[in-house]
């Protein structure tokens, strides 16, 4: 018995929907409306935050089981522990190289543009800065490297799903997928003597469960414009647009750096995977707009995994790289953090030496890995970096200078983070020989492709054994 795993995404260009049902258009209208409401009625706009929070919670509700089903199916299909290990190692190597480059790139841009040059802030006026940061971060702290790595191992399987700890769910899914493939090899015939392998039955069950959760995601996504409207109205109503003038140079610097960094990613994905970044952006435009509107990449994680698999990346590669990248490959966040370190120094009139800047990069390489899911993580990472530099003229309270502009940087961070992880998936898939380049070309060109079909690995095994 073989298991046919069909794609839940469709790229059929023949089947069209009315223009008003386009998610991209609905999100565009919702975001513009949210900005207007937040600008015209700021108090009312700030009160609309529950719309965004509710939508994000609905998405998070099903992320863990979707990751589990996708990874189990992908790994069981590969059926090789060494292959899975290679994918993981290659992904981590790529993440480290790209995020380090993003940090260095941010320092170069920050030194050239000097976004904090015109502030002339007196350190004596920052007495309440520490209290503001503590309130924003809820007195939390980033996990130490050892704690972060140990926390990947769940206390129990149930707690991993209950706490929605994506790396813990991923860790268990990898073990379960490998064990399932191994169990299938040794299962022999069924107890009734019919000779029915166990693995296809379990895989079929996991496949059906996954499709059920993807159906739920489809229902939830109908609420995406409402969530984006609430999020944008809250951000503009709560923080206002006045920060655009006060922090104009910093914001322009960060967004310009993001555009230049995306050009670098375009070269990387073209050279190493043969993918056009522009076509990729066009392919995932709905997900990008939703991430921009809600200031969250988690809300598009299930859809991105579907689309990358549909575009030719193997399930194993997509299932391993995307969830891992959400913690280890925060390109936009690291780019922003390195620029902000220089902004704070320049705003206080401090000239950081090359050694101090290298120290900042080293600290950010560690702190940026534990940022995912931590409230106010960017402020915590910057506070740790300022402390490590040890420059007495830059108090940790100076980080509070960024409170007025931080939320306006979300669009930059989520865009670069999301595209960075998509690029990583294509590069690692190509590197591991698990990218269907012909299918990728057709999908990104908008051509019609047949539904994905993945034969169960135990079919080949049974044929060889027989």
């Amino acid at each position: 018995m073989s298991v046919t795993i069909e794609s839940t995404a469709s790229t059929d260009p023949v089947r069209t929907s009315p223009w008003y049902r386009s998610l991209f258009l609905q999100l565009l209208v919702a975001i513009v409306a949210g900005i207007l409401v937040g600008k015209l009625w700021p108090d009312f706009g700030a009160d609309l935050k529950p719309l965004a929070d509710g939508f994000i919670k609905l998405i998070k509700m099903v992320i863990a089981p979707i990751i589990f089903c996708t990874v189990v199916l992908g790994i069981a299909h590969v059926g090789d522990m060494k292959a899975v290990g290679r994918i993981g190692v290659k992904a981590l190597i790529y993440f480290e190289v790209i995020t380090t480059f993003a940090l260095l790139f941010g320092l170069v841009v920050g030194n050239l543009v000097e976004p904090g040059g015109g502030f002339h802030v007196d350190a004596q006026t920052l007495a309440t800065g520490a209290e503001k940061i503590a309130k924003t971060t809820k007195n939390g702290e980033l996990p130490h490297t050892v704690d972060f790595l140990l926390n990947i191992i769940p206390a129990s399987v149930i707690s991993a799903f209950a706490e929605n700890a994506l790396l813990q769910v991923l860790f268990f899914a990898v073990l379960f997928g490998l064990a399932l493939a191994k169990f299938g090899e040794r299962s022999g015939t069924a107890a009734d003597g019919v000779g029915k392998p166990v693995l296809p039955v379990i895989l079929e069950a996991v496949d059906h469960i996954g499709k059920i959760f993807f159906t739920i995601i489809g229902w939830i996504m109908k609420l995406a414009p409402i969530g984006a409207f609430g999020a944008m109205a809250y951000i503009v109503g709560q923080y206002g647009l006045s920060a655009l003038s006060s922090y104009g140079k910093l914001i322009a610097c960060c967004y310009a750096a993001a555009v230049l960094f995306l050009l670098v990613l375009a070269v990387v994905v073209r050279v190493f995977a043969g993918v056009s970044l522009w076509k990729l952006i066009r392919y995932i435009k709905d997900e990008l707009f939703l991430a921009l509107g809600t200031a969250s990449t988690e809300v598009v994680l299930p859809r991105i995994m579907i689309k990358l698999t549909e575009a030719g990346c193997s399930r194993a590669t997509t299932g391993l790289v995307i969830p891992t990248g959400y913690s280890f490959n925060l390109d936009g966040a690291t780019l922003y953090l390195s620029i902000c370190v220089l902004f704070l120094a320049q705003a206080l009139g401090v000239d950081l030496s090359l050694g101090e800047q290298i120290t900042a990069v080293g600290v950010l390489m560690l702190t940026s890995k534990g940022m995912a899911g931590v409230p106010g993580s960017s402020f915590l990472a910057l506070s740790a970096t300022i402390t490590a530099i040890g420059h007495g003229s830059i108090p940790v309270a100076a980080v509070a200078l960024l409170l007025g502009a931080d939320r306006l940087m979300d669009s930059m961070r989520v865009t670069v983070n999301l595209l960075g992880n998509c690029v990583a998936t294509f590069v690692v898939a190509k590197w591991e020989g698990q990218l269907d380049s012909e299918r990728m070309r057709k999908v990104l060109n908008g051509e019609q492709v047949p539904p994905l079909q993945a034969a169960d690995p135990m079919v080949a095994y049974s044929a060889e054994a027989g």
Side-chain angles (χ1 to χ4, degrees), residues 375-408:
S377 56
S378 59
F379 299 109
L380 292 172
L382 285 170
S383 298
T385 305
I386 295 298
T387 301
I389 292 175
H391 203 300
S393 300
I394 309 178
V396 174
V399 177
L401 290 173
L402 295 167
L403 287 172
D406 185 72
R407 289 305 297 265
L408 297 176

Short mmCIF file of all heavy atoms in Angstrom, two decimals, residues 375-408:
data_model
loop_
_atom_site.label_atom_id
_atom_site.label_comp_id
_atom_site.label_asym_id
_atom_site.label_seq_id
_atom_site.Cartn_x
_atom_site.Cartn_y
_atom_site.Cartn_z
N PRO A 375 9.40 38.60 25.01
CA PRO A 375 8.89 39.96 24.94
C PRO A 375 10.01 40.99 25.02
O PRO A 375 10.90 40.89 25.87
CB PRO A 375 7.97 40.06 26.18
CG PRO A 375 7.60 38.65 26.50
CD PRO A 375 8.81 37.83 26.12
N GLY A 376 9.98 41.97 24.10
CA GLY A 376 10.99 43.01 24.11
C GLY A 376 12.39 42.48 23.88
O GLY A 376 13.37 43.02 24.41
N SER A 377 12.52 41.42 23.08
CA SER A 377 13.82 40.76 22.92
C SER A 377 14.88 41.67 22.33
O SER A 377 16.06 41.56 22.67
CB SER A 377 13.66 39.51 22.04
OG SER A 377 13.08 39.85 20.79
N SER A 378 14.48 42.59 21.43
CA SER A 378 15.48 43.47 20.84
C SER A 378 16.10 44.38 21.90
O SER A 378 17.31 44.63 21.88
CB SER A 378 14.84 44.32 19.73
OG SER A 378 13.78 45.09 20.23
N PHE A 379 15.29 44.85 22.86
CA PHE A 379 15.83 45.70 23.93
C PHE A 379 16.74 44.90 24.86
O PHE A 379 17.76 45.41 25.34
CB PHE A 379 14.67 46.32 24.73
CG PHE A 379 13.78 47.20 23.91
CD1 PHE A 379 12.50 46.80 23.59
CD2 PHE A 379 14.23 48.41 23.43
CE1 PHE A 379 11.67 47.61 22.83
CE2 PHE A 379 13.41 49.24 22.67
CZ PHE A 379 12.13 48.82 22.36
N LEU A 380 16.36 43.65 25.12
CA LEU A 380 17.20 42.80 25.97
C LEU A 380 18.54 42.52 25.31
O LEU A 380 19.60 42.55 25.95
CB LEU A 380 16.47 41.49 26.27
CG LEU A 380 15.23 41.60 27.15
CD1 LEU A 380 14.49 40.27 27.22
CD2 LEU A 380 15.59 42.06 28.56
N ALA A 381 18.50 42.24 24.00
CA ALA A 381 19.75 41.95 23.27
C ALA A 381 20.65 43.18 23.25
O ALA A 381 21.87 43.08 23.43
CB ALA A 381 19.42 41.49 21.85
N LEU A 382 20.06 44.35 23.03
CA LEU A 382 20.84 45.58 23.01
C LEU A 382 21.40 45.90 24.39
O LEU A 382 22.55 46.35 24.52
CB LEU A 382 19.99 46.74 22.50
CG LEU A 382 19.72 46.76 21.00
CD1 LEU A 382 18.67 47.80 20.66
CD2 LEU A 382 21.01 47.03 20.23
N SER A 383 20.60 45.67 25.44
CA SER A 383 21.08 45.92 26.80
C SER A 383 22.28 45.03 27.12
O SER A 383 23.27 45.50 27.71
CB SER A 383 19.95 45.65 27.80
OG SER A 383 18.86 46.53 27.58
N ALA A 384 22.19 43.75 26.74
CA ALA A 384 23.30 42.82 26.98
C ALA A 384 24.54 43.25 26.20
O ALA A 384 25.68 43.14 26.68
CB ALA A 384 22.89 41.41 26.58
N THR A 385 24.33 43.76 24.99
CA THR A 385 25.46 44.19 24.15
C THR A 385 26.13 45.42 24.73
O THR A 385 27.37 45.49 24.79
CB THR A 385 24.97 44.48 22.72
OG1 THR A 385 24.31 43.33 22.21
CG2 THR A 385 26.14 44.83 21.82
N ILE A 386 25.33 46.41 25.16
CA ILE A 386 25.89 47.62 25.75
C ILE A 386 26.69 47.28 27.01
O ILE A 386 27.79 47.81 27.24
CB ILE A 386 24.77 48.62 26.11
CG1 ILE A 386 24.06 49.10 24.83
CG2 ILE A 386 25.31 49.79 26.90
CD1 ILE A 386 24.95 49.83 23.87
N THR A 387 26.17 46.35 27.81
CA THR A 387 26.87 45.93 29.02
C THR A 387 28.20 45.27 28.67
O THR A 387 29.22 45.51 29.32
CB THR A 387 26.00 44.95 29.83
OG1 THR A 387 24.77 45.59 30.17
CG2 THR A 387 26.72 44.52 31.10
N ALA A 388 28.20 44.41 27.64
CA ALA A 388 29.42 43.69 27.26
C ALA A 388 30.48 44.61 26.70
O ALA A 388 31.68 44.40 26.92
CB ALA A 388 29.07 42.60 26.23
N ILE A 389 30.06 45.66 25.99
CA ILE A 389 31.04 46.61 25.45
C ILE A 389 31.79 47.29 26.58
O ILE A 389 32.99 47.55 26.49
CB ILE A 389 30.33 47.65 24.55
CG1 ILE A 389 29.81 46.97 23.28
CG2 ILE A 389 31.28 48.78 24.17
CD1 ILE A 389 29.00 47.89 22.39
N GLY A 390 31.05 47.56 27.67
CA GLY A 390 31.69 48.12 28.85
C GLY A 390 32.15 49.55 28.71
O GLY A 390 33.08 50.00 29.37
N HIS A 391 31.51 50.32 27.83
CA HIS A 391 31.87 51.72 27.65
C HIS A 391 31.07 52.55 28.64
O HIS A 391 29.84 52.64 28.53
CB HIS A 391 31.58 52.16 26.21
CG HIS A 391 32.37 53.34 25.78
ND1 HIS A 391 32.30 54.57 26.41
CD2 HIS A 391 33.29 53.49 24.79
CE1 HIS A 391 33.10 55.42 25.81
NE2 HIS A 391 33.72 54.80 24.83
N GLY A 392 31.72 53.17 29.58
CA GLY A 392 31.04 53.89 30.64
C GLY A 392 30.18 55.04 30.18
O GLY A 392 29.24 55.44 30.87
N SER A 393 30.45 55.56 28.99
CA SER A 393 29.68 56.71 28.50
C SER A 393 28.35 56.30 27.88
O SER A 393 27.56 57.16 27.50
CB SER A 393 30.50 57.48 27.45
OG SER A 393 31.71 57.95 28.02
N ILE A 394 28.11 54.98 27.74
CA ILE A 394 26.84 54.51 27.18
C ILE A 394 26.11 53.72 28.25
O ILE A 394 26.36 52.53 28.44
CB ILE A 394 27.06 53.61 25.94
CG1 ILE A 394 27.98 54.29 24.94
CG2 ILE A 394 25.72 53.28 25.27
CD1 ILE A 394 28.27 53.44 23.72
N PRO A 395 25.20 54.34 28.98
CA PRO A 395 24.45 53.60 30.00
C PRO A 395 23.45 52.65 29.35
O PRO A 395 22.96 52.90 28.24
CB PRO A 395 23.73 54.72 30.78
CG PRO A 395 23.58 55.82 29.80
CD PRO A 395 24.80 55.76 28.92
N VAL A 396 23.16 51.57 30.04
CA VAL A 396 22.19 50.61 29.52
C VAL A 396 20.83 51.28 29.31
O VAL A 396 20.07 50.93 28.40
CB VAL A 396 22.06 49.40 30.48
CG1 VAL A 396 20.94 48.47 30.03
CG2 VAL A 396 23.38 48.65 30.56
N ALA A 397 20.52 52.28 30.15
CA ALA A 397 19.25 52.98 30.03
C ALA A 397 19.08 53.68 28.69
O ALA A 397 17.97 54.04 28.30
CB ALA A 397 19.12 54.00 31.16
N ALA A 398 20.19 53.86 27.95
CA ALA A 398 20.11 54.53 26.66
C ALA A 398 19.27 53.75 25.66
O ALA A 398 18.76 54.31 24.69
CB ALA A 398 21.52 54.74 26.10
N VAL A 399 19.12 52.45 25.90
CA VAL A 399 18.32 51.62 25.00
C VAL A 399 16.89 52.15 24.92
O VAL A 399 16.19 51.96 23.91
CB VAL A 399 18.34 50.15 25.48
CG1 VAL A 399 17.45 49.27 24.61
CG2 VAL A 399 19.77 49.62 25.45
N ALA A 400 16.45 52.85 25.97
CA ALA A 400 15.09 53.40 25.98
C ALA A 400 14.88 54.43 24.88
O ALA A 400 13.73 54.74 24.53
CB ALA A 400 14.80 54.03 27.35
N LEU A 401 15.95 54.96 24.31
CA LEU A 401 15.82 55.91 23.20
C LEU A 401 15.11 55.30 22.00
O LEU A 401 14.52 56.00 21.18
CB LEU A 401 17.21 56.41 22.76
CG LEU A 401 17.95 57.34 23.72
CD1 LEU A 401 19.37 57.58 23.22
CD2 LEU A 401 17.20 58.65 23.88
N LEU A 402 15.15 53.99 21.91
CA LEU A 402 14.58 53.31 20.74
C LEU A 402 13.10 52.96 20.91
O LEU A 402 12.49 52.43 19.98
CB LEU A 402 15.37 52.01 20.47
CG LEU A 402 16.83 52.22 20.05
CD1 LEU A 402 17.58 50.90 20.12
CD2 LEU A 402 16.89 52.79 18.64
N LEU A 403 12.55 53.23 22.09
CA LEU A 403 11.15 52.86 22.33
C LEU A 403 10.20 53.52 21.34
O LEU A 403 9.20 52.93 20.93
CB LEU A 403 10.75 53.24 23.76
CG LEU A 403 11.32 52.35 24.87
CD1 LEU A 403 11.02 52.95 26.24
CD2 LEU A 403 10.74 50.95 24.77
N GLY A 404 10.52 54.76 20.92
CA GLY A 404 9.63 55.47 20.02
C GLY A 404 9.67 54.99 18.59
O GLY A 404 8.76 55.26 17.81
N ALA A 405 10.72 54.28 18.21
CA ALA A 405 10.88 53.88 16.81
C ALA A 405 10.82 52.37 16.61
O ALA A 405 10.66 51.91 15.47
CB ALA A 405 12.21 54.41 16.27
N ASP A 406 10.91 51.59 17.68
CA ASP A 406 11.07 50.15 17.52
C ASP A 406 9.91 49.51 16.75
O ASP A 406 10.14 48.69 15.86
CB ASP A 406 11.20 49.50 18.90
CG ASP A 406 11.50 48.01 18.81
OD1 ASP A 406 12.63 47.66 18.42
OD2 ASP A 406 10.59 47.21 19.10
N ARG A 407 8.66 49.89 17.09
CA ARG A 407 7.54 49.26 16.42
C ARG A 407 7.46 49.62 14.93
O ARG A 407 6.92 48.87 14.13
CB ARG A 407 6.22 49.66 17.10
CG ARG A 407 6.03 49.03 18.47
CD ARG A 407 6.14 47.52 18.44
NE ARG A 407 5.12 46.89 17.62
CZ ARG A 407 3.97 46.39 18.06
NH1 ARG A 407 3.70 46.44 19.34
NH2 ARG A 407 3.11 45.84 17.24
N LEU A 408 8.01 50.79 14.57
CA LEU A 408 8.02 51.19 13.17
C LEU A 408 9.04 50.40 12.37
O LEU A 408 9.05 50.47 11.13
CB LEU A 408 8.30 52.69 13.05
CG LEU A 408 7.26 53.61 13.70
CD1 LEU A 408 7.69 55.06 13.60
CD2 LEU A 408 5.90 53.42 13.03
#
